[in-house]
Amino acid sequence: MAQSQPPKTGAEPPPRRNDLPPEILEIIWPALQVGGLSGMSGMLIGGFSGVIRSTTPTLFALASGIQWFTLGTTFWASRGFVIHAWGKHKVGPREKVSASAIAGGIGGTAGGLLRGRGNVIPGAIMFALFGATGQMIYNRADARNSALVERGEPDKKNSILNSKWSPMKVLSDSEYEIMLREKLLRVNAQIALVDENIEALRAQERQLAADKRLNDRQDTSSSQDNKHV
């Protein structure tokens, strides 16, 4: 007889998912990376400042690292959320400037809270200006590089390297291949010269051995003639 199964008391709960949505991870993970770099920079600057001010460098570096980690993480996460809310693929350069300004204000507010309520408004204004200015500079540099690529013109770095005053030069694939072939020909020529020198030494060695055998025979024959006499 088949065993009867116990009746189900209710619907099974759906499996829990601890993973965050990929959209959130795309914002949080880079923000943590930026915050980590900012925190390490803040610790270094705080340590030097603590040594100069003759205070405890460790505590000063730790406090500075926490502040810069909070500022960097908050800024990058806020910027990512704003751009995602406005449409990631629809945001233009102007919208990125606005998003960076908003994120700078939020980051400055978070950083100001760690230093006291009196620093909230100045920090928000200052970092909003920093965020907008930095984004504008980046947009101009990116637009300039894109224009150079479209026109097929070399960038400034390559033009400096290709100048006559530079000890280095940027080579194309064909130029690099020609250079390798020339080096290979020179190596083969040097190997041929070495082979010729080795063959000449061997011939000289054989000649010396033949002369030695001839001298030995002559000495042997002369000694035998002296015995007969």
Side-chain angles (χ1 to χ4, degrees), residues 23-42:
E23 295 82 4
I24 303 299
L25 289 177
E26 290 179 359
I27 298 173
I28 296 299
W29 179 241
L32 292 176
Q33 291 178 333
V34 173
L37 293 176
S38 302
M40 288 188 292
S41 301

Side-chain angles (χ1 to χ4, degrees), residues 56-94:
T56 54
T58 304
L59 294 178
F60 209 85
L62 183 61
S64 180
I66 293 173
Q67 291 174 3
W68 281 99
F69 173 80
T70 303
L71 179 62
T73 305
T74 307
F75 169 78
W76 201 257
S78 302
R79 183 179 180 274
F81 280 116
V82 171
I83 291 177
H84 181 74
W86 289 351
K88 183 177 180 181
H89 301 287
K90 299 179 181 179
V91 175
R94 293 184 179 179

Side-chain angles (χ1 to χ4, degrees), residues 131-172:
T133 304
Q135 187 65 52
M136 290 175 63
I137 294 173
Y138 176 81
N139 290 342
R140 288 186 179 181
D142 185 58
R144 181 176 178 276
N145 292 332
S146 299
L148 290 176
V149 171
E150 290 178 358
R151 292 197 300 265
E153 297 179 1
D155 56 2
K156 187 176 181 180
K157 180 180 179 181
N158 290 337
S159 62
I160 292 175
L161 290 176
N162 288 328
S163 65
K164 63 179 181 179
W165 304 108
S166 176
M168 296 179 293
K169 181 181 179 182
V170 179
L171 299 177
S172 62

Side-chain angles (χ1 to χ4, degrees), residues 97-128:
V97 172
S98 301
S100 297
I102 295 172
I106 297 173
T109 301
L113 287 174
L114 296 177
R115 299 178 62 89
R117 294 182 179 179
N119 297 316
V120 172
I121 296 177
I125 296 174
M126 181 178 65
F127 282 100

